[in-house]
Amino acid sequence: MGIPDYIRVMRTHIGHDLLLLPGVGAIVVDEHGRLLFGRRSDTGRWAVVAGMVEPGEQPAETVVREVREETGVDVVVERLLGVATHPVEYPNGDRCEYLSLTFLCRAVGGTARVNDDESLDVGWFAPTELPELEPYSRLRVELALRDAKEAWFAPVGSHHSALVEPSM
């Protein structure tokens, strides 16, 4: 799907200036315990499947939609893993900071494939054989693998660098 129309309209007014946006990410696990990742077309790097919450949409609904749109995999949301802000500067100069909710999801159907223009590749990986991931994606995987009962959140007063190397 790419950039939602309402973001395109905002960008015509503010250019590349910073936008605070709601976002979601999915740690998707299949029946073999493998994790699903996409190699992003904008950066060329492997990352957690993620996207923007659109007006009128609930975050859990967004994560199900984004995984299906980007990978062809159907998921069920199991639980919230964590909440944090996450800055991103895109190759075109657009700056965003996402208020990101990361969900643990279980694959329930579909076939993993490149399903839109946002990904160069899509694949399942054993937790011991992960591709090189963006730091924020690595943090979200760590949250899923630690199997905590409660959602993680960035501590009060922490800076974005704390999201790269959390003390858990």
Side-chain angles (χ1 to χ4, degrees), residues 121-139:
D121 198 1
V122 170
W124 292 103
F125 297 87
T128 57
E129 298 174 356
L130 298 178
E132 185 178 335
L133 296 170
E134 296 175 330
Y136 190 55
S137 288
R138 189 176 67 243
L139 166 66

Side-chain angles (χ1 to χ4, degrees), residues 30-153:
D30 72 1
E31 69 274 10
H32 306 291
R34 298 176 303 173
L35 306 175
L36 180 66
F37 298 101
R39 194 160 63 90
R40 299 177 56 95
S41 60
D42 58 355
T43 65
R45 297 186 67 185
W46 287 97
V48 167
V49 177
M52 286 184 262
V53 179
E54 296 197 13
E57 196 173 45
Q58 292 296 332
E61 180 182 10
T62 302
V63 83
V64 169
R65 175 182 55 78
E66 286 288 344
V67 173
R68 179 73 175 145
E69 284 178 0
E70 293 182 22
T71 70
V73 173
D74 296 315
V75 299
V76 171
V77 175
E78 297 283 315
R79 69 182 178 89
L80 179 66
L81 288 172
V83 178
T85 59
H86 173 60
V88 175
E89 184 166 342
Y90 291 99
N92 70 356
D94 286 352
R95 293 177 32 238
C96 299
E97 185 160 342
Y98 291 98
L99 173 58
S100 184
L101 295 96
T102 302
F103 294 93
L104 179 63
C105 299
R106 180 174 37 91
V108 294
T111 303
R113 64 183 180 276
V114 173
N115 207 38
D116 65 13
D117 61 354
E118 293 183 47
S119 300
L120 299 172
D121 198 1
V122 170
W124 292 103
F125 297 87
T128 57
E129 298 174 356
L130 298 178
E132 185 178 335
L133 296 170
E134 296 175 330
Y136 190 55
S137 288
R138 189 176 67 243
L139 166 66
R140 295 191 275 186
V141 169
E142 290 170 9
L143 295 174
L145 296 179
R146 72 182 182 143
D147 197 32
K149 302 281 187 262
E150 297 180 6
W152 175 89
F153 56 90

